[in-house]
Amino acid sequence: QPVSPAGKTPAPAGAGAGAGRPGQDMLLDSRDHVNQLQQEATAGIEKVITGETDNMAEVFTAVRKADVAFSMLMEMRNKLVDAYREIQQMRV
């Protein structure tokens, strides 16, 4: 079953770019998900620094997950900007 970008609740069947859902909503959901992952990573780092936890593997995983999600979001943005520029260059 498809999962929404936030990864928490199942998305309706057929949800996504082809189901009439605006791309802007998808990007905003992705941005919110990346923000949530970054906040979780920051909280994990703070717990290690303050001595609340010594589970470095869990914190490292959270930081890496946030990094990969951010990189993917930036790649999506770059592809959209490239597509927009290409459309601008088209002659009508």
Side-chain angles (χ1 to χ4, degrees), residues 27-63:
L27 281 175
L28 291 175
D29 290 346
S30 296
R31 181 202 61 189
D32 292 342
H33 180 61
V34 169
N35 185 41
Q36 177 187 1
L37 289 173
Q38 288 178 334
Q39 288 174 351
E40 289 171 5
T42 301
I45 291 169
E46 289 173 357
K47 286 181 181 179
V48 168
I49 291 172
T50 59
E52 290 179 43
T53 186
D54 59 353
N55 190 350
M56 293 297 290
E58 185 178 299
V59 173
F60 179 76
T61 302
V63 169

Side-chain angles (χ1 to χ4, degrees), residues 27 71-83:
L27 281 175
S71 296
M72 190 167 128
L73 184 64
M74 292 307 297
E75 284 299 318
M76 288 171 39
R77 180 200 66 115
N78 292 342
K79 293 290 182 184
L80 286 171
V81 168
D82 290 344

